[in-house]
PDB file of all heavy atoms in Angstrom:
ATOM      1  N   THR A 998      -4.510  11.294 -86.384  1.00  0.00           N
ATOM      2  CA  THR A 998      -5.574  10.441 -85.850  1.00  0.00           C
ATOM      3  C   THR A 998      -6.497   9.954 -86.959  1.00  0.00           C
ATOM      4  O   THR A 998      -6.915   8.797 -86.973  1.00  0.00           O
ATOM      5  CB  THR A 998      -6.377  11.203 -84.785  1.00  0.00           C
ATOM      6  OG1 THR A 998      -5.491  11.618 -83.748  1.00  0.00           O
ATOM      7  CG2 THR A 998      -7.463  10.323 -84.184  1.00  0.00           C
ATOM      8  N   LEU A 999      -6.829  10.840 -87.902  1.00  0.00           N
ATOM      9  CA  LEU A 999      -7.678  10.427 -89.022  1.00  0.00           C
ATOM     10  C   LEU A 999      -6.992   9.349 -89.853  1.00  0.00           C
ATOM     11  O   LEU A 999      -7.631   8.412 -90.330  1.00  0.00           O
ATOM     12  CB  LEU A 999      -8.022  11.639 -89.892  1.00  0.00           C
ATOM     13  CG  LEU A 999      -9.060  12.596 -89.336  1.00  0.00           C
ATOM     14  CD1 LEU A 999      -9.179  13.830 -90.216  1.00  0.00           C
ATOM     15  CD2 LEU A 999     -10.422  11.914 -89.202  1.00  0.00           C
ATOM     16  N   THR A1000      -5.677   9.475 -90.008  1.00  0.00           N
ATOM     17  CA  THR A1000      -4.927   8.463 -90.749  1.00  0.00           C
ATOM     18  C   THR A1000      -5.021   7.106 -90.055  1.00  0.00           C
ATOM     19  O   THR A1000      -5.132   6.062 -90.696  1.00  0.00           O
ATOM     20  CB  THR A1000      -3.450   8.884 -90.867  1.00  0.00           C
ATOM     21  OG1 THR A1000      -3.385  10.140 -91.536  1.00  0.00           O
ATOM     22  CG2 THR A1000      -2.655   7.846 -91.647  1.00  0.00           C
ATOM     23  N   LYS A1001      -4.996   7.151 -88.718  1.00  0.00           N
ATOM     24  CA  LYS A1001      -5.098   5.907 -87.951  1.00  0.00           C
ATOM     25  C   LYS A1001      -6.509   5.328 -88.016  1.00  0.00           C
ATOM     26  O   LYS A1001      -6.695   4.109 -88.006  1.00  0.00           O
ATOM     27  CB  LYS A1001      -4.709   6.199 -86.501  1.00  0.00           C
ATOM     28  CG  LYS A1001      -4.723   4.985 -85.590  1.00  0.00           C
ATOM     29  CD  LYS A1001      -3.991   5.244 -84.284  1.00  0.00           C
ATOM     30  CE  LYS A1001      -4.478   6.462 -83.557  1.00  0.00           C
ATOM     31  NZ  LYS A1001      -3.828   6.624 -82.239  1.00  0.00           N
ATOM     32  N   LEU A1002      -7.514   6.194 -88.108  1.00  0.00           N
ATOM     33  CA  LEU A1002      -8.901   5.733 -88.095  1.00  0.00           C
ATOM     34  C   LEU A1002      -9.394   5.252 -89.456  1.00  0.00           C
ATOM     35  O   LEU A1002     -10.192   4.327 -89.547  1.00  0.00           O
ATOM     36  CB  LEU A1002      -9.828   6.865 -87.621  1.00  0.00           C
ATOM     37  CG  LEU A1002     -10.015   7.052 -86.125  1.00  0.00           C
ATOM     38  CD1 LEU A1002     -10.836   8.299 -85.866  1.00  0.00           C
ATOM     39  CD2 LEU A1002     -10.697   5.842 -85.508  1.00  0.00           C
ATOM     40  N   LEU A1003      -8.927   5.885 -90.529  1.00  0.00           N
ATOM     41  CA  LEU A1003      -9.505   5.634 -91.846  1.00  0.00           C
ATOM     42  C   LEU A1003      -9.487   4.171 -92.276  1.00  0.00           C
ATOM     43  O   LEU A1003     -10.482   3.682 -92.820  1.00  0.00           O
ATOM     44  CB  LEU A1003      -8.802   6.506 -92.893  1.00  0.00           C
ATOM     45  CG  LEU A1003      -9.235   7.979 -92.907  1.00  0.00           C
ATOM     46  CD1 LEU A1003      -8.392   8.769 -93.899  1.00  0.00           C
ATOM     47  CD2 LEU A1003     -10.721   8.097 -93.249  1.00  0.00           C
ATOM     48  N   PRO A1004      -8.390   3.422 -92.054  1.00  0.00           N
ATOM     49  CA  PRO A1004      -8.425   2.018 -92.476  1.00  0.00           C
ATOM     50  C   PRO A1004      -9.561   1.232 -91.845  1.00  0.00           C
ATOM     51  O   PRO A1004     -10.154   0.354 -92.478  1.00  0.00           O
ATOM     52  CB  PRO A1004      -7.056   1.483 -92.020  1.00  0.00           C
ATOM     53  CG  PRO A1004      -6.181   2.673 -92.000  1.00  0.00           C
ATOM     54  CD  PRO A1004      -7.067   3.804 -91.529  1.00  0.00           C
ATOM     55  N   GLY A1005      -9.896   1.550 -90.602  1.00  0.00           N
ATOM     56  CA  GLY A1005     -10.961   0.826 -89.927  1.00  0.00           C
ATOM     57  C   GLY A1005     -12.347   1.251 -90.355  1.00  0.00           C
ATOM     58  O   GLY A1005     -13.330   0.603 -90.009  1.00  0.00           O
ATOM     59  N   LEU A1006     -12.447   2.375 -91.077  1.00  0.00           N
ATOM     60  CA  LEU A1006     -13.758   2.852 -91.514  1.00  0.00           C
ATOM     61  C   LEU A1006     -14.203   2.219 -92.828  1.00  0.00           C
ATOM     62  O   LEU A1006     -15.358   2.349 -93.215  1.00  0.00           O
ATOM     63  CB  LEU A1006     -13.727   4.383 -91.659  1.00  0.00           C
ATOM     64  CG  LEU A1006     -13.462   5.153 -90.361  1.00  0.00           C
ATOM     65  CD1 LEU A1006     -13.408   6.647 -90.647  1.00  0.00           C
ATOM     66  CD2 LEU A1006     -14.529   4.844 -89.318  1.00  0.00           C
ATOM     67  N   TRP A1007     -13.269   1.544 -93.541  1.00  0.00           N
ATOM     68  CA  TRP A1007     -13.660   0.876 -94.776  1.00  0.00           C
ATOM     69  C   TRP A1007     -14.491  -0.351 -94.449  1.00  0.00           C
ATOM     70  O   TRP A1007     -14.261  -1.022 -93.463  1.00  0.00           O
ATOM     71  CB  TRP A1007     -12.421   0.457 -95.575  1.00  0.00           C
ATOM     72  CG  TRP A1007     -11.649   1.612 -96.111  1.00  0.00           C
ATOM     73  CD1 TRP A1007     -10.469   2.099 -95.633  1.00  0.00           C
ATOM     74  CD2 TRP A1007     -12.025   2.457 -97.200  1.00  0.00           C
ATOM     75  NE1 TRP A1007     -10.074   3.185 -96.352  1.00  0.00           N
ATOM     76  CE2 TRP A1007     -11.010   3.443 -97.328  1.00  0.00           C
ATOM     77  CE3 TRP A1007     -13.112   2.496 -98.078  1.00  0.00           C
ATOM     78  CZ2 TRP A1007     -11.042   4.436 -98.297  1.00  0.00           C
ATOM     79  CZ3 TRP A1007     -13.150   3.474 -99.045  1.00  0.00           C
ATOM     80  CH2 TRP A1007     -12.125   4.430 -99.150  1.00  0.00           C
ATOM     81  N   PRO A1008     -15.458  -0.671 -95.295  1.00  0.00           N
ATOM     82  CA  PRO A1008     -16.299  -1.840 -95.032  1.00  0.00           C
ATOM     83  C   PRO A1008     -15.454  -3.089 -94.845  1.00  0.00           C
ATOM     84  O   PRO A1008     -14.510  -3.348 -95.585  1.00  0.00           O
ATOM     85  CB  PRO A1008     -17.185  -1.936 -96.287  1.00  0.00           C
ATOM     86  CG  PRO A1008     -17.202  -0.543 -96.843  1.00  0.00           C
ATOM     87  CD  PRO A1008     -15.853   0.038 -96.526  1.00  0.00           C
ATOM     88  N   GLY A1009     -15.827  -3.876 -93.797  1.00  0.00           N
ATOM     89  CA  GLY A1009     -15.168  -5.138 -93.537  1.00  0.00           C
ATOM     90  C   GLY A1009     -13.909  -5.045 -92.715  1.00  0.00           C
ATOM     91  O   GLY A1009     -13.309  -6.049 -92.372  1.00  0.00           O
ATOM     92  N   ARG A1010     -13.443  -3.822 -92.386  1.00  0.00           N
ATOM     93  CA  ARG A1010     -12.203  -3.707 -91.640  1.00  0.00           C
ATOM     94  C   ARG A1010     -12.442  -3.576 -90.141  1.00  0.00           C
ATOM     95  O   ARG A1010     -11.540  -3.787 -89.356  1.00  0.00           O
ATOM     96  CB  ARG A1010     -11.406  -2.481 -92.142  1.00  0.00           C
ATOM     97  CG  ARG A1010     -10.930  -2.624 -93.555  1.00  0.00           C
ATOM     98  CD  ARG A1010      -9.926  -3.752 -93.686  1.00  0.00           C
ATOM     99  NE  ARG A1010      -8.768  -3.529 -92.837  1.00  0.00           N
ATOM    100  CZ  ARG A1010      -7.709  -2.828 -93.221  1.00  0.00           C
ATOM    101  NH1 ARG A1010      -7.659  -2.298 -94.436  1.00  0.00           N
ATOM    102  NH2 ARG A1010      -6.685  -2.683 -92.406  1.00  0.00           N
ATOM    103  N   GLY A1011     -13.622  -3.137 -89.707  1.00  0.00           N
ATOM    104  CA  GLY A1011     -13.898  -3.027 -88.277  1.00  0.00           C
ATOM    105  C   GLY A1011     -13.302  -1.775 -87.693  1.00  0.00           C
ATOM    106  O   GLY A1011     -12.099  -1.648 -87.533  1.00  0.00           O
ATOM    107  N   SER A1012     -14.109  -0.793 -87.379  1.00  0.00           N
ATOM    108  CA  SER A1012     -13.638   0.498 -86.891  1.00  0.00           C
ATOM    109  C   SER A1012     -13.489   0.569 -85.399  1.00  0.00           C
ATOM    110  O   SER A1012     -13.060   1.576 -84.869  1.00  0.00           O
ATOM    111  CB  SER A1012     -14.613   1.599 -87.322  1.00  0.00           C
ATOM    112  OG  SER A1012     -15.868   1.396 -86.717  1.00  0.00           O
ATOM    113  N   GLY A1013     -13.870  -0.483 -84.690  1.00  0.00           N
ATOM    114  CA  GLY A1013     -13.850  -0.392 -83.235  1.00  0.00           C
ATOM    115  C   GLY A1013     -15.134   0.188 -82.687  1.00  0.00           C
ATOM    116  O   GLY A1013     -15.259   0.413 -81.499  1.00  0.00           O
ATOM    117  N   GLN A1014     -16.096   0.461 -83.553  1.00  0.00           N
ATOM    118  CA  GLN A1014     -17.381   0.957 -83.080  1.00  0.00           C
ATOM    119  C   GLN A1014     -18.378  -0.185 -83.027  1.00  0.00           C
ATOM    120  O   GLN A1014     -18.265  -1.178 -83.733  1.00  0.00           O
ATOM    121  CB  GLN A1014     -17.909   2.059 -84.013  1.00  0.00           C
ATOM    122  CG  GLN A1014     -16.962   3.253 -84.119  1.00  0.00           C
ATOM    123  CD  GLN A1014     -16.636   3.825 -82.762  1.00  0.00           C
ATOM    124  OE1 GLN A1014     -17.516   4.255 -82.037  1.00  0.00           O
ATOM    125  NE2 GLN A1014     -15.364   3.800 -82.377  1.00  0.00           N
ATOM    126  N   ALA A1015     -19.378  -0.022 -82.203  1.00  0.00           N
ATOM    127  CA  ALA A1015     -20.367  -1.074 -82.042  1.00  0.00           C
ATOM    128  C   ALA A1015     -21.165  -1.263 -83.316  1.00  0.00           C
ATOM    129  O   ALA A1015     -21.392  -0.318 -84.063  1.00  0.00           O
ATOM    130  CB  ALA A1015     -21.309  -0.724 -80.899  1.00  0.00           C
ATOM    131  N   PRO A1016     -21.595  -2.474 -83.607  1.00  0.00           N
ATOM    132  CA  PRO A1016     -22.379  -2.715 -84.815  1.00  0.00           C
ATOM    133  C   PRO A1016     -23.717  -2.000 -84.747  1.00  0.00           C
ATOM    134  O   PRO A1016     -24.365  -1.991 -83.713  1.00  0.00           O
ATOM    135  CB  PRO A1016     -22.565  -4.236 -84.813  1.00  0.00           C
ATOM    136  CG  PRO A1016     -22.457  -4.634 -83.381  1.00  0.00           C
ATOM    137  CD  PRO A1016     -21.458  -3.693 -82.788  1.00  0.00           C
ATOM    138  N   ALA A1017     -24.109  -1.376 -85.828  1.00  0.00           N
ATOM    139  CA  ALA A1017     -25.398  -0.696 -85.843  1.00  0.00           C
ATOM    140  C   ALA A1017     -26.511  -1.688 -86.121  1.00  0.00           C
ATOM    141  O   ALA A1017     -26.361  -2.626 -86.900  1.00  0.00           O
ATOM    142  CB  ALA A1017     -25.392   0.383 -86.934  1.00  0.00           C
ATOM    143  N   ALA A1018     -27.626  -1.494 -85.447  1.00  0.00           N
ATOM    144  CA  ALA A1018     -28.779  -2.346 -85.707  1.00  0.00           C
ATOM    145  C   ALA A1018     -29.412  -1.941 -87.033  1.00  0.00           C
ATOM    146  O   ALA A1018     -29.203  -0.844 -87.538  1.00  0.00           O
ATOM    147  CB  ALA A1018     -29.777  -2.210 -84.566  1.00  0.00           C
ATOM    148  N   LYS A1019     -30.200  -2.842 -87.573  1.00  0.00           N
ATOM    149  CA  LYS A1019     -30.808  -2.572 -88.864  1.00  0.00           C
ATOM    150  C   LYS A1019     -31.830  -1.449 -88.756  1.00  0.00           C
ATOM    151  O   LYS A1019     -32.564  -1.336 -87.783  1.00  0.00           O
ATOM    152  CB  LYS A1019     -31.486  -3.840 -89.394  1.00  0.00           C
ATOM    153  CG  LYS A1019     -30.500  -4.966 -89.709  1.00  0.00           C
ATOM    154  CD  LYS A1019     -31.231  -6.196 -90.222  1.00  0.00           C
ATOM    155  CE  LYS A1019     -30.246  -7.316 -90.549  1.00  0.00           C
ATOM    156  NZ  LYS A1019     -30.948  -8.527 -91.027  1.00  0.00           N
ATOM    157  N   GLY A1020     -31.891  -0.644 -89.819  1.00  0.00           N
ATOM    158  CA  GLY A1020     -32.908   0.394 -89.877  1.00  0.00           C
ATOM    159  C   GLY A1020     -32.485   1.672 -89.171  1.00  0.00           C
ATOM    160  O   GLY A1020     -31.510   1.733 -88.435  1.00  0.00           O
ATOM    161  N   THR A1021     -33.240   2.736 -89.424  1.00  0.00           N
ATOM    162  CA  THR A1021     -32.980   4.022 -88.784  1.00  0.00           C
ATOM    163  C   THR A1021     -33.551   4.023 -87.369  1.00  0.00           C
ATOM    164  O   THR A1021     -34.398   3.199 -87.024  1.00  0.00           O
ATOM    165  CB  THR A1021     -33.617   5.155 -89.594  1.00  0.00           C
ATOM    166  OG1 THR A1021     -35.035   4.906 -89.702  1.00  0.00           O
ATOM    167  CG2 THR A1021     -33.021   5.227 -90.996  1.00  0.00           C
ATOM    168  N   VAL A1022     -33.094   4.973 -86.559  1.00  0.00           N
ATOM    169  CA  VAL A1022     -33.573   5.080 -85.191  1.00  0.00           C
ATOM    170  C   VAL A1022     -34.835   5.945 -85.190  1.00  0.00           C
ATOM    171  O   VAL A1022     -34.802   7.106 -85.616  1.00  0.00           O
ATOM    172  CB  VAL A1022     -32.502   5.708 -84.280  1.00  0.00           C
ATOM    173  CG1 VAL A1022     -33.017   5.839 -82.855  1.00  0.00           C
ATOM    174  CG2 VAL A1022     -31.227   4.871 -84.314  1.00  0.00           C
ATOM    175  N   PRO A1023     -35.964   5.407 -84.728  1.00  0.00           N
ATOM    176  CA  PRO A1023     -37.209   6.185 -84.733  1.00  0.00           C
ATOM    177  C   PRO A1023     -37.242   7.177 -83.567  1.00  0.00           C
ATOM    178  O   PRO A1023     -36.427   7.098 -82.648  1.00  0.00           O
ATOM    179  CB  PRO A1023     -38.279   5.107 -84.544  1.00  0.00           C
ATOM    180  CG  PRO A1023     -37.590   4.072 -83.705  1.00  0.00           C
ATOM    181  CD  PRO A1023     -36.155   4.051 -84.169  1.00  0.00           C
ATOM    182  N   ARG A1024     -38.174   8.088 -83.608  1.00  0.00           N
ATOM    183  CA  ARG A1024     -38.400   8.987 -82.471  1.00  0.00           C
ATOM    184  C   ARG A1024     -39.563   8.464 -81.647  1.00  0.00           C
ATOM    185  O   ARG A1024     -40.529   7.927 -82.171  1.00  0.00           O
ATOM    186  CB  ARG A1024     -38.694  10.411 -82.940  1.00  0.00           C
ATOM    187  CG  ARG A1024     -37.448  11.166 -83.380  1.00  0.00           C
ATOM    188  CD  ARG A1024     -37.705  12.660 -83.533  1.00  0.00           C
ATOM    189  NE  ARG A1024     -36.517  13.346 -83.988  1.00  0.00           N
ATOM    190  CZ  ARG A1024     -35.587  13.857 -83.187  1.00  0.00           C
ATOM    191  NH1 ARG A1024     -35.739  13.755 -81.870  1.00  0.00           N
ATOM    192  NH2 ARG A1024     -34.525  14.466 -83.675  1.00  0.00           N
ATOM    193  N   THR A1025     -39.454   8.665 -80.343  1.00  0.00           N
ATOM    194  CA  THR A1025     -40.516   8.302 -79.410  1.00  0.00           C
ATOM    195  C   THR A1025     -40.902   9.546 -78.631  1.00  0.00           C
ATOM    196  O   THR A1025     -40.246  10.591 -78.765  1.00  0.00           O
ATOM    197  CB  THR A1025     -40.041   7.217 -78.424  1.00  0.00           C
ATOM    198  OG1 THR A1025     -39.117   7.806 -77.494  1.00  0.00           O
ATOM    199  CG2 THR A1025     -39.349   6.068 -79.155  1.00  0.00           C
ATOM    200  N   PRO A1026     -41.928   9.495 -77.792  1.00  0.00           N
ATOM    201  CA  PRO A1026     -42.261  10.660 -76.958  1.00  0.00           C
ATOM    202  C   PRO A1026     -41.128  11.086 -76.042  1.00  0.00           C
ATOM    203  O   PRO A1026     -41.131  12.219 -75.535  1.00  0.00           O
ATOM    204  CB  PRO A1026     -43.461  10.156 -76.147  1.00  0.00           C
ATOM    205  CG  PRO A1026     -44.107   9.131 -77.010  1.00  0.00           C
ATOM    206  CD  PRO A1026     -42.968   8.447 -77.701  1.00  0.00           C
ATOM    207  N   PHE A1027     -40.126  10.208 -75.799  1.00  0.00           N
ATOM    208  CA  PHE A1027     -38.999  10.560 -74.935  1.00  0.00           C
ATOM    209  C   PHE A1027     -37.898  11.302 -75.681  1.00  0.00           C
ATOM    210  O   PHE A1027     -36.938  11.758 -75.058  1.00  0.00           O
ATOM    211  CB  PHE A1027     -38.393   9.292 -74.312  1.00  0.00           C
ATOM    212  CG  PHE A1027     -39.388   8.452 -73.577  1.00  0.00           C
ATOM    213  CD1 PHE A1027     -39.696   7.175 -74.022  1.00  0.00           C
ATOM    214  CD2 PHE A1027     -40.033   8.938 -72.450  1.00  0.00           C
ATOM    215  CE1 PHE A1027     -40.620   6.396 -73.341  1.00  0.00           C
ATOM    216  CE2 PHE A1027     -40.953   8.160 -71.767  1.00  0.00           C
ATOM    217  CZ  PHE A1027     -41.254   6.891 -72.217  1.00  0.00           C
ATOM    218  N   ASN A1028     -38.024  11.402 -77.005  1.00  0.00           N
ATOM    219  CA  ASN A1028     -36.943  11.978 -77.813  1.00  0.00           C
ATOM    220  C   ASN A1028     -37.285  13.366 -78.323  1.00  0.00           C
ATOM    221  O   ASN A1028     -37.243  13.637 -79.523  1.00  0.00           O
ATOM    222  CB  ASN A1028     -36.612  11.025 -78.971  1.00  0.00           C
ATOM    223  CG  ASN A1028     -36.219   9.651 -78.493  1.00  0.00           C
ATOM    224  OD1 ASN A1028     -36.735   8.648 -78.968  1.00  0.00           O
ATOM    225  ND2 ASN A1028     -35.323   9.579 -77.524  1.00  0.00           N
ATOM    226  N   HIS A1029     -37.612  14.227 -77.376  1.00  0.00           N
ATOM    227  CA  HIS A1029     -37.921  15.622 -77.680  1.00  0.00           C
ATOM    228  C   HIS A1029     -37.301  16.504 -76.608  1.00  0.00           C
ATOM    229  O   HIS A1029     -36.500  16.025 -75.791  1.00  0.00           O
ATOM    230  CB  HIS A1029     -39.435  15.818 -77.793  1.00  0.00           C
ATOM    231  CG  HIS A1029     -40.050  15.054 -78.932  1.00  0.00           C
ATOM    232  ND1 HIS A1029     -39.892  15.402 -80.254  1.00  0.00           N
ATOM    233  CD2 HIS A1029     -40.806  13.922 -78.940  1.00  0.00           C
ATOM    234  CE1 HIS A1029     -40.522  14.538 -81.027  1.00  0.00           C
ATOM    235  NE2 HIS A1029     -41.089  13.625 -80.260  1.00  0.00           N
ATOM    236  N   ALA A1030     -37.645  17.783 -76.601  1.00  0.00           N
ATOM    237  CA  ALA A1030     -37.053  18.732 -75.658  1.00  0.00           C
ATOM    238  C   ALA A1030     -37.208  18.251 -74.220  1.00  0.00           C
ATOM    239  O   ALA A1030     -38.227  17.669 -73.845  1.00  0.00           O
ATOM    240  CB  ALA A1030     -37.698  20.107 -75.832  1.00  0.00           C
ATOM    241  N   VAL A1031     -36.177  18.496 -73.411  1.00  0.00           N
ATOM    242  CA  VAL A1031     -36.134  18.037 -72.025  1.00  0.00           C
ATOM    243  C   VAL A1031     -36.328  19.222 -71.087  1.00  0.00           C
ATOM    244  O   VAL A1031     -35.593  20.204 -71.163  1.00  0.00           O
ATOM    245  CB  VAL A1031     -34.790  17.340 -71.736  1.00  0.00           C
ATOM    246  CG1 VAL A1031     -34.669  16.981 -70.261  1.00  0.00           C
ATOM    247  CG2 VAL A1031     -34.643  16.092 -72.607  1.00  0.00           C
ATOM    248  N   ASP A1032     -37.319  19.128 -70.195  1.00  0.00           N
ATOM    249  CA  ASP A1032     -37.567  20.183 -69.208  1.00  0.00           C
ATOM    250  C   ASP A1032     -36.578  20.079 -68.052  1.00  0.00           C
ATOM    251  O   ASP A1032     -35.791  19.138 -67.950  1.00  0.00           O
ATOM    252  CB  ASP A1032     -39.000  20.082 -68.671  1.00  0.00           C
ATOM    253  CG  ASP A1032     -40.035  20.430 -69.729  1.00  0.00           C
ATOM    254  OD1 ASP A1032     -39.662  21.098 -70.722  1.00  0.00           O
ATOM    255  OD2 ASP A1032     -41.208  20.033 -69.573  1.00  0.00           O
ATOM    256  N   ALA A1033     -36.655  21.063 -67.134  1.00  0.00           N
ATOM    257  CA  ALA A1033     -35.676  21.151 -66.048  1.00  0.00           C
ATOM    258  C   ALA A1033     -35.997  20.241 -64.864  1.00  0.00           C
ATOM    259  O   ALA A1033     -35.120  19.957 -64.052  1.00  0.00           O
ATOM    260  CB  ALA A1033     -35.567  22.597 -65.568  1.00  0.00           C
ATOM    261  N   ASP A1034     -37.246  19.778 -64.716  1.00  0.00           N
ATOM    262  CA  ASP A1034     -37.593  18.932 -63.572  1.00  0.00           C
ATOM    263  C   ASP A1034     -37.130  17.493 -63.818  1.00  0.00           C
ATOM    264  O   ASP A1034     -36.748  17.139 -64.925  1.00  0.00           O
ATOM    265  CB  ASP A1034     -39.100  18.949 -63.328  1.00  0.00           C
ATOM    266  CG  ASP A1034     -39.849  18.258 -64.457  1.00  0.00           C
ATOM    267  OD1 ASP A1034     -39.871  18.802 -65.571  1.00  0.00           O
ATOM    268  OD2 ASP A1034     -40.376  17.145 -64.243  1.00  0.00           O
ATOM    269  N   ARG A1035     -37.146  16.665 -62.757  1.00  0.00           N
ATOM    270  CA  ARG A1035     -36.750  15.276 -62.902  1.00  0.00           C
ATOM    271  C   ARG A1035     -37.733  14.367 -62.166  1.00  0.00           C
ATOM    272  O   ARG A1035     -38.169  14.654 -61.048  1.00  0.00           O
ATOM    273  CB  ARG A1035     -35.332  15.040 -62.349  1.00  0.00           C
ATOM    274  CG  ARG A1035     -34.240  15.763 -63.146  1.00  0.00           C
ATOM    275  CD  ARG A1035     -34.121  15.205 -64.554  1.00  0.00           C
ATOM    276  NE  ARG A1035     -33.093  15.869 -65.336  1.00  0.00           N
ATOM    277  CZ  ARG A1035     -33.300  16.880 -66.167  1.00  0.00           C
ATOM    278  NH1 ARG A1035     -34.534  17.366 -66.331  1.00  0.00           N
ATOM    279  NH2 ARG A1035     -32.313  17.398 -66.859  1.00  0.00           N
ATOM    280  N   VAL A1036     -38.062  13.247 -62.819  1.00  0.00           N
ATOM    281  CA  VAL A1036     -38.930  12.211 -62.263  1.00  0.00           C
ATOM    282  C   VAL A1036     -38.123  10.922 -62.241  1.00  0.00           C
ATOM    283  O   VAL A1036     -37.465  10.581 -63.230  1.00  0.00           O
ATOM    284  CB  VAL A1036     -40.201  12.043 -63.128  1.00  0.00           C
ATOM    285  CG1 VAL A1036     -40.982  10.811 -62.698  1.00  0.00           C
ATOM    286  CG2 VAL A1036     -41.059  13.287 -63.051  1.00  0.00           C
ATOM    287  N   ILE A1037     -38.163  10.200 -61.118  1.00  0.00           N
ATOM    288  CA  ILE A1037     -37.385   8.968 -61.007  1.00  0.00           C
ATOM    289  C   ILE A1037     -38.256   7.808 -60.527  1.00  0.00           C
ATOM    290  O   ILE A1037     -39.380   8.004 -60.051  1.00  0.00           O
ATOM    291  CB  ILE A1037     -36.183   9.132 -60.055  1.00  0.00           C
ATOM    292  CG1 ILE A1037     -36.667   9.185 -58.594  1.00  0.00           C
ATOM    293  CG2 ILE A1037     -35.372  10.357 -60.387  1.00  0.00           C
ATOM    294  CD1 ILE A1037     -35.580   8.924 -57.579  1.00  0.00           C
ATOM    295  N   GLY A1038     -37.712   6.615 -60.636  1.00  0.00           N
ATOM    296  CA  GLY A1038     -38.360   5.413 -60.122  1.00  0.00           C
ATOM    297  C   GLY A1038     -37.414   4.239 -60.311  1.00  0.00           C
ATOM    298  O   GLY A1038     -36.342   4.381 -60.911  1.00  0.00           O
ATOM    299  N   HIS A1039     -37.812   3.050 -59.811  1.00  0.00           N
ATOM    300  CA  HIS A1039     -36.954   1.889 -59.984  1.00  0.00           C
ATOM    301  C   HIS A1039     -37.737   0.606 -59.772  1.00  0.00           C
ATOM    302  O   HIS A1039     -38.834   0.608 -59.213  1.00  0.00           O
ATOM    303  CB  HIS A1039     -35.772   1.939 -59.012  1.00  0.00           C
ATOM    304  CG  HIS A1039     -36.067   1.421 -57.624  1.00  0.00           C
ATOM    305  ND1 HIS A1039     -36.908   2.075 -56.740  1.00  0.00           N
ATOM    306  CD2 HIS A1039     -35.644   0.298 -56.973  1.00  0.00           C
ATOM    307  CE1 HIS A1039     -36.969   1.408 -55.608  1.00  0.00           C
ATOM    308  NE2 HIS A1039     -36.224   0.314 -55.717  1.00  0.00           N
TER     309      HIS A1039
END
């Protein structure tokens, strides 16, 4: 499987993964430990 994947991991070959947006992913108040309760809405 790695042999099949490696060619697509080289720059410009297209790995089948979605394009990454520019910059690193920041943390928000939602990106921390998750408690057991749930709140919903719509």
Side-chain angles (χ1 to χ4, degrees):
T998 302
L999 285 173
T1000 301
K1001 182 165 54 175
L1002 275 174
L1003 283 175
L1006 297 178
W1007 292 104
R1010 294 295 301 273
S1012 64
Q1014 301 305 300
K1019 294 180 180 179
T1021 58
V1022 179
R1024 283 193 182 270
T1025 72
F1027 305 115
N1028 302 130
H1029 296 287
V1031 174
D1032 292 340
D1034 68 291
R1035 294 294 180 265
V1036 170
I1037 73 162
H1039 83 291

